[in-house]
Amino acid sequence: MTEEKKEKDIFTQIGDSLKELGEELKPHLFKAERKIRDFDEAIQPSLSDLGDRFKELAGVFKEPMEDIGTRLKEWGETVKPVVKDMGDRIKSARKAEKETPEDKPARDE
């Protein structure tokens, strides 16, 4: 067997091994992708609301600075329900994940 043939055989073996590993990993990757997508969809409304609240934060730091404590407190009160909603959504997503059978096929998009 020539040196070139041996090298090709080695690369073929490595390629075949990687292909085999990929096939073994594929179902696990699909499950992980589904979990991430479901979690993202569950908390997306709260993330959007939280982003809006952070945009409003810039207005808290405008003049007059002597009122900043009051404005910051008022802003904080608007954030509390958003954070609570996000916590509730996370709990619901975790509960749904536990109730979902592991062999559920991944969604096709």
Side-chain angles (χ1 to χ4, degrees), residues 72-86:
L72 196 54
K73 184 177 180 180
E74 290 170 354
W75 176 82
E77 292 300 318
T78 68
V79 173
K80 286 180 183 179
V82 175
V83 172
K84 182 184 180 325
D85 180 61
M86 184 178 287

Side-chain angles (χ1 to χ4, degrees), residues 9 13 20-23 29 36 38-39 47 66 69 73 87 93-94 96 103:
D9 287 343
Q13 288 173 356
E20 190 176 303
L21 286 173
E23 291 300 318
L29 293 174
I36 291 169
D38 290 347
F39 184 77
L47 284 175
E66 54 270 2
K73 184 177 180 180
R94 286 184 179 157
D103 56 354

Side-chain angles (χ1 to χ4, degrees), residues 32-78:
E33 178 187 12
R34 184 182 72 238
K35 286 181 180 183
I36 291 169
R37 189 180 317 127
D38 290 347
F39 184 77
D40 181 57
E41 289 173 2
I43 66 168
Q44 186 57 45
S46 293
L47 284 175
S48 294
D49 287 347
L50 190 59
D52 292 342
R53 293 296 130 6
F54 279 114
K55 289 177 188 174
E56 294 170 0
L57 182 59
V60 170
F61 293 104
K62 65 182 180 190
E63 299 291 333
M65 292 308 282
E66 54 270 2
D67 295 339
I68 194 168
T70 303
R71 290 193 306 265
L72 196 54
K73 184 177 180 180
E74 290 170 354
W75 176 82
E77 292 300 318
T78 68

Side-chain angles (χ1 to χ4, degrees), residues 4 8 12 41-42 45 58-59 71 82 97:
E4 188 176 307
K8 281 187 179 180
T12 301
E41 289 173 2
R71 290 193 306 265
V82 175
E97 181 183 322

Side-chain angles (χ1 to χ4, degrees), residues 7-19:
E7 286 182 20
K8 281 187 179 180
D9 287 343
I10 290 171
F11 289 117
T12 301
Q13 288 173 356
I14 292 171
D16 290 345
S17 296
L18 290 174
K19 185 176 180 181

Side-chain angles (χ1 to χ4, degrees), residues 84-101:
K84 182 184 180 325
D85 180 61
M86 184 178 287
D88 293 344
R89 288 174 182 277
I90 290 170
K91 288 177 188 172
S92 294
R94 286 184 179 157
K95 183 178 178 185
E97 181 183 322
K98 289 178 183 175
E99 293 172 355
T100 303

